[in-house]
Amino acid sequence: MSDETTDVSPTTRPNRLQDGGALTRKPTIGLALGGGGARGLAHILMLEVLDEMGIRPTVIAGTSIGAIFGAAYASGYSAAQIRAHTEELLRSRFEILRQFFMARQEPLGRVLNVLQLRSALLNAEALLDLVMPPRIARDFTGFEIPLRVVAADFYTQDQVVLTTGSTHRAIAASMALPALFAPVISEEVALMDGGLVNPLPFDVISGQADIIVAINVSGAGRLPEDRTPPKAIESLFASLQILQHTIVREKLLSRKPDVLIDVDVGAFHVLDFHKLAKVLKAASPAKQELRFKLERILSAETLETDDTPPPELEEPEPSKRARLAQRLLGQSR
């Protein structure tokens, strides 16, 4: 896997925890949030641990849904606000999204009929306008915490790390899952879901913090009680899960973060956003594991705490909400 990096400015320095050296100052935390579709809802609980412990990361890397939650957190939203926004979003605010996320249970022919009419089902940037909290930084310079967003270059098949320009375009590119979303075109480069090249981007921020924490939500396979043959659409999304899990497994053979949390969410599919409560319940043990590991590794050190008040959540106007829904489905531009 090659590593094309765009404008990553912080100076790289050795990780002294892995080198066995002693820290002579307060350690810094780097956070990597992996991709995995609806399984990435588990990131909410991991962010809650940081808030509850008063830990503020100094840099964040995110792939796909990890980039979405990473952008919200880097913009100053608290984990509690992110959770409340997500619960409201998936419960009642945008019924059209719930219908789409449950559509994977419909016959595959219905999906393919749509694909014959256009290059993909959804406009990724329009989806972000629909689901993101209103005060997300529109440019990378507006983040309170530096953010690195991972995408894949369609033509060169390389990793691209985005750190400048439009944050919405970067995040849309990072989550542009093939077939569901068209590639995001940026400066004549076609960008796609970062999970195709780096589902757990802890290496992107290696050397940029003393302690690197990585949250893996790629999901290991498990045997279901009912072993009925998978439907075609289930096979399609499962193949992406297999790809991401394999990439992470192979990468960890040669390199590991200081703190690795494998969240047990393999039972969920990429579009199971309507199962928010179940995903969070399944991720609860991982939340406790993260707290334990952070307490142990930081027992001799004190981290910077953050008392900055988070921004207020705002409800989009109904008229704006309707226009966003139309853009999402390609009914207007």
Side-chain angles (χ1 to χ4, degrees), residues 135-146:
R135 295 185 182 177
I136 297 295
R138 291 285 174 167
D139 187 272
F140 278 89
T141 59
F143 285 127
E144 296 181 8
I145 302 172

Side-chain angles (χ1 to χ4, degrees), residues 78-106:
S78 68
Q81 287 180 320
I82 293 172
R83 180 169 185 157
H85 176 80
T86 305
E87 289 174 341
E88 170 62 19
L89 174 70
L90 297 177
R91 181 176 61 246
S92 61
R93 187 187 294 183
F94 299 116
E95 181 65 21
I96 191 172
L97 289 179
R98 293 202 312 116
Q99 292 176 0
F100 172 76
F101 290 138
M102 296 184 69
R104 67 172 188 83
Q105 301 174 9
E106 299 294 328

Side-chain angles (χ1 to χ4, degrees), residues 20-34:
L23 285 170
T24 58
R25 55 174 175 75
K26 294 179 179 179
T28 55
I29 295 285
L31 178 65
L33 301 176

Side-chain angles (χ1 to χ4, degrees), residues 59-73:
V59 64
I60 299 174
T63 295
S64 195
I65 192 168
I68 295 176
F69 284 126
Y73 203 64

Side-chain angles (χ1 to χ4, degrees), residues 2 12 36 40 50 53 59 70 94 106 124 154 162 169 176-177 181 192 208 218 235 253 260 272 294 302 321 324 326:
S2 58
T12 299
L50 299 183
M53 296 183 66
V59 64
F94 299 116
E106 299 294 328
F154 174 79
L162 302 167
R169 178 162 296 181
L177 196 67
F181 301 101
M192 302 175 67
Q208 298 177 31
S218 62
S235 297
L253 291 177
L260 173 63
D272 279 345
L294 285 175
T302 303
R321 191 179 304 162
L324 291 173
Q326 290 178 344

